[in-house]
Amino acid sequence: MTRLNQLIRTLESGSKAFATFAPAEPEAALWVSAARYDGVIYEMEHRPWDAVRLRDTLQYMVNAPRAIATGLPSPAVTPIVRIPANGGEMNQWLAKQALDMGAFGIVWPHVSTAEQAYNAVSACRYPRLKSVPGYEPAGLRGDSPGTAARIWGVGTDEYYRKADVWPLAPEGEILVVLMIEDTLAIDNLDEILSRVPGIGAVMIGEGDLSQELGYPRQYEHPDVVRAMTEIVRICKAHAVPVGHPHVGSKNLSAVLEAGYDILVAGAVRSFGTLERGLEMSNRL
């Protein structure tokens, strides 16, 4: 089987997966597609939702020379999308549009209950008969695969075979990521991972979590660390990969030591040449 989703390929190999956040803009797709990340999360939770711009962005992820050289038709850096709707909104259409545009997965913000998690997985699956193995969670996604199949670099029939959630479907290439961002979600996380198959990964949301705990963005506060540690513990108990969304040079060692499987690192713009030039010209 040819694995199209680089994030899933890396996780299946037992290695740490690296990703970055980026705006859904063609210019971002050009630089991120040339980087060595396993995946990119196009940020549309805290940025405006624009399905047309997302479609254009994903088109720029396609790299024909790379496909010819490697024989792998899909983007080298796997694109997934963080949608704006919180899990409690029980939303489906945003996931449908992102997947139809060619995304390989959905990041669901603020999932706090098993019911919300079930909805998240269902929205990423096509419907099937109850007699089919792996029926649950029942699929709710509407059928319009043309654009997505083009981005994936496969025919429609192959897209249908692969357009299911991993690891529930062994051939599945769609990664469902739940963000755990509040204490209710932590209380329910064991139930979520026990009752809802098809969750590909969990990602902590320590920004919102630290807000609720009363220590906004104080990520090293003992209460915040304790809550994050509990999320990792529960995920490890269920063999579900867990991601950290804010990895930098200062906390990289600690994040690796804590056992996170997906490391999301910010893309840092460097002004080193400018600063050196200003220094040399006595302007600093």
Side-chain angles (χ1 to χ4, degrees):
M1 181 183 68
T2 301
R3 177 63 72 191
L4 304 178
N5 189 318
Q6 176 62 32
L7 282 165
I8 294 176
R9 183 188 301 122
T10 301
L11 292 171
E12 284 182 325
S13 74
S15 300
K16 304 294 185 183
F18 288 84
T20 190
F21 281 107
E25 298 173 353
E27 294 80 5
L30 289 174
W31 68 256
V32 79
S33 63
R36 295 183 61 189
Y37 292 110
D38 297 298
V40 55
I41 302 171
Y42 283 115
E43 169 52 41
M44 305 191 81
E45 179 190 9
H46 295 290
R47 289 176 176 265
W49 176 262
D50 187 335
V52 174
R53 183 172 289 274
L54 174 62
R55 179 199 63 194
D56 294 345
T57 300
L58 295 178
Q59 297 282 351
Y60 275 86
M61 296 294 295
V62 176
N63 187 326
R66 181 256 184 186
I68 294 171
T70 64
L72 298 174
S74 57
V77 180
T78 297
I80 63 177
V81 176
R82 181 159 75 169
I83 60 175
N86 290 339
E89 298 176 55
M90 303 297 284
N91 209 285
Q92 298 161 10
W93 72 272
L94 292 167
K96 174 176 62 178
Q97 287 198 352
L99 294 173
D100 284 352
M101 294 302 101
F104 281 80
I106 303 295
V107 178
W108 295 82
H110 284 284
V111 174
S112 302
T113 69
E115 181 185 18
Q116 294 169 13
Y118 184 99
N119 179 74
V121 178
S122 291
C124 295
R125 307 188 77 195
Y126 286 123
R128 66 206 70 209
L129 295 173
K130 290 185 178 180
S131 58
V132 174
Y135 168 77
E136 295 283 358
L140 296 171
R141 180 184 172 189
D143 178 50
S144 183
T147 301
R150 181 184 182 278
I151 300 300
W152 286 28
V154 298
T156 301
D157 289 344
E158 186 175 359
Y159 180 79
Y160 282 138
R161 288 197 303 273
K162 295 177 179 294
D164 203 353
V165 296
W166 175 88
L168 177 60
E171 283 192 85
E173 298 282 0
I174 293 176
L175 190 66
V176 176
V177 182
L178 308 184
M179 292 204 69
I180 302 302
E181 308 191 65
D182 52 50
T183 55
L184 176 62
I186 298 175
D187 292 341
N188 290 329
L189 185 55
D190 184 73
E191 179 188 9
I192 289 171
L193 299 182
S194 297
R195 290 182 49 194
V196 184
I199 298 168
V202 161
M203 185 175 294
I204 64 166
E206 82 267 31
D208 289 87
L209 181 59
S210 65
Q211 286 277 359
E212 181 186 349
L213 292 173
Y215 308 102
R217 292 190 174 266
Q218 297 179 41
Y219 301 143
E220 296 181 1
H221 190 280
D223 288 354
V224 178
V225 172
R226 190 177 302 111
M228 293 164 58
T229 301
E230 179 66 1
I231 295 172
V232 175
R233 183 194 68 78
I234 297 171
C235 289
K236 294 297 181 181
H238 290 271
V240 173
V242 57
H244 192 298
H246 299 128
V247 182
S249 58
K250 293 182 179 180
N251 70 344
L252 176 59
S253 296
V255 169
L256 288 170
E257 184 177 346
Y260 289 92
D261 304 290
I262 303 173
L263 285 69
V264 184
V268 179
R269 185 183 297 274
S270 172
F271 297 97
T273 302
L274 170 62
E275 292 167 355
R276 179 61 174 158
L278 291 171
E279 180 183 0
M280 293 178 67
S281 61
N282 296 317
R283 290 178 56 192
L284 285 183

